[in-house]
Amino acid sequence: MNVVIPALSFVARHLLFVVFAMFAGCVLWVVTYFLLLAIAVIGGQGVGGPLALPAGLITVIAACIFLGWGVFAPASAIGAIFCALLKLPRLAAIPIVTVAAFFLSYLIYWGYIELVTTSSMPSVWIVMKNFAI
């Protein structure tokens, strides 16, 4: 029972953060969409297609779920487990989580290159540079 409650707390915190990130991203997208729509109307430009707003919302939600549960939650779990096993302070988890997130991103990118595209995999340094940016 000593392990279950911290694990459930970890999952709940990350679930709530991903939901918060989705909400904030969707609000930001709606504000940006209507701002760009107003600029287009005032400037006499085309207003774009009617599917831009829902497509943007779907993209924000999918990106938050993918990055939140595919990269950041597992990387945070790796950092928390590593620090708990070695009795390190919580602040020591930051570089561990960063390295774990890089390797998870690299693994996802490798899977994308191998399964979806026909191009060759770039070197790890190029991917690391893009990850850092």
Side-chain angles (χ1 to χ4, degrees), residues 76-104:
S76 296
I78 290 169
I81 290 169
F82 192 83
C83 286
L85 289 176
L86 297 178
K87 307 281 191 243
L88 296 173
R90 293 182 97 177
L91 199 57
I94 294 172
I96 297 166
V97 169
T98 303
V99 170
F102 166 73
F103 283 115
L104 287 168

Side-chain angles (χ1 to χ4, degrees), residues 17-102:
F17 184 76
V18 170
V19 170
F20 174 74
M22 283 190 280
F23 178 75
C26 287
V27 167
L28 186 63
W29 170 247
V30 169
V31 168
T32 302
Y33 175 81
F34 283 112
L35 181 67
L36 290 173
L37 184 64
I39 291 171
V41 169
I42 292 170
Q45 303 295 320
V47 293
L51 296 178
L53 180 62
L57 292 174
I58 290 170
T59 302
V60 166
I61 290 170
C64 286
I65 290 172
F66 177 73
L67 290 174
W69 285 99
V71 176
F72 295 120
S76 296
I78 290 169
I81 290 169
F82 192 83
C83 286
L85 289 176
L86 297 178
K87 307 281 191 243
L88 296 173
R90 293 182 97 177
L91 199 57
I94 294 172
I96 297 166
V97 169
T98 303
V99 170
F102 166 73

